[in-house]
Amino acid sequence: ITDTGALTINGTVAANSIGLTGGGITILGLLNGSSVTLTSSAGAISETGTIVANTLAGSAATGASLIGATPTTNQIGILDAFSAPGGFFLNDGAPLSVIGPLSGGPIVSIVDSGSLAIIGNVTATAVGLSATDINIPGSIAATNASLIASSGAISETGTIIATTLTGSAATSATVAGATPATNQIGTINGFSATSGFLLEDGTSLTVANTLSG
C-alpha cells in the first residue's frame, strides 16, 4: 500500500510480504507477515496494535513508536535497517536480533521480553536496551547507553562508544569488546552484575556511583 496522505491500519493485514508507505502511519490493528516494511515519508510511525513479523524494516521522517497493545504483543524476530530521526521505541515479546543499522536521533529504546542480540549498528544520543539477556557482537554509539538484562547475562564482544554507560545484569556482565581497546567508554555511572563484571576499555575511564560484581 502506498498512500500520499496519512495511512491508518485499523483491521488486519496479512501476507508473506507487507509494505506500507504513507505520509504518516498509524497501526491500531494487526500486521502479520514474514517481512514487514514501514515507510513514513512525512511524519511519524505509531503502532499500538500488533506486529507479527520474522523481519521488520523501515524509516520514519520523524519518530517511530512501535510499542504494541501490551509490552509483549509484538512478535518480531529480526529488526533490519530502520531510521527514525525523531526517536525509535520498540516493545517486543519474542527473541530479537537487531541487524540494523538502527538510528534513532535522540533515542533508541528497545524493551524485549526475550533475548536481545545487537548484531549490527545502533546509534542515538541515548540508547536503552532491556531484555532477559543481551548479546552485543555489533556496535552501539551513544552519549548515554543503558543495558539491562533482567534474568540473564550481558555479553559484549563488539564495540560500545559511549560517554556514559549504566546498567544491570541478573547474572554476569562481560563488556570486553572486539579487542581490549575497542570500547570507548568515558564513565561507568552505576552498574550491577551479581555474578561478576568485566570491562575492557580503550579510553580514559571514570567510575561514578556504585559498581558491583
Side-chain angles (χ1 to χ4, degrees):
I1 298 174
T2 299
D3 197 291
T4 58
L7 175 61
T8 299
I9 305 297
N10 282 325
T12 297
V13 178
N16 185 56
S17 179
I18 298 172
L20 303 179
T21 299
I25 300 175
T26 300
I27 303 166
L28 307 173
L30 166 66
L31 301 182
N32 190 346
S34 178
S35 174
V36 175
T37 301
L38 308 175
T39 304
S40 173
S41 59
I45 299 172
S46 173
E47 182 263 330
T48 53
T50 303
I51 297 176
V52 178
N54 292 338
T55 302
L56 174 68
S59 64
T62 57
S65 178
L66 311 174
I67 61 174
T70 74
T72 59
T73 300
N74 290 330
Q75 301 286 308
I76 301 164
I78 296 172
L79 182 62
D80 211 333
F82 212 113
S83 63
F88 179 88
F89 297 86
L90 172 64
N91 290 341
D92 192 31
L96 178 68
S97 295
V98 179
I99 296 176
L102 171 61
S103 60
I107 186 170
V108 164
S109 172
I110 298 176
V111 177
D112 199 289
S113 63
S115 299
L116 176 61
I118 304 299
I119 297 170
N121 304 323
V122 177
T123 306
T125 302
V127 173
L129 306 178
S130 178
T132 55
D133 54 271
I134 300 173
N135 182 29
I136 308 171
S139 69
I140 295 172
T143 301
N144 299 302
S146 172
L147 308 176
I148 299 175
S150 59
S151 61
I154 296 171
S155 174
E156 182 262 332
T157 55
T159 303
I160 296 178
I161 300 174
T163 303
T164 302
L165 175 67
T166 186
S168 64
T171 58
S172 63
T174 301
V175 187
T179 73
T182 300
N183 290 329
Q184 301 286 307
I185 301 166
T187 300
I188 300 289
N189 190 21
F191 212 110
S192 63
T194 58
S195 299
F197 178 87
L198 184 150
L199 170 66
E200 293 184 351
D201 192 31
T203 191
S204 300
L205 178 68
T206 299
V207 177
N209 290 322
T210 301
L211 171 62
S212 60

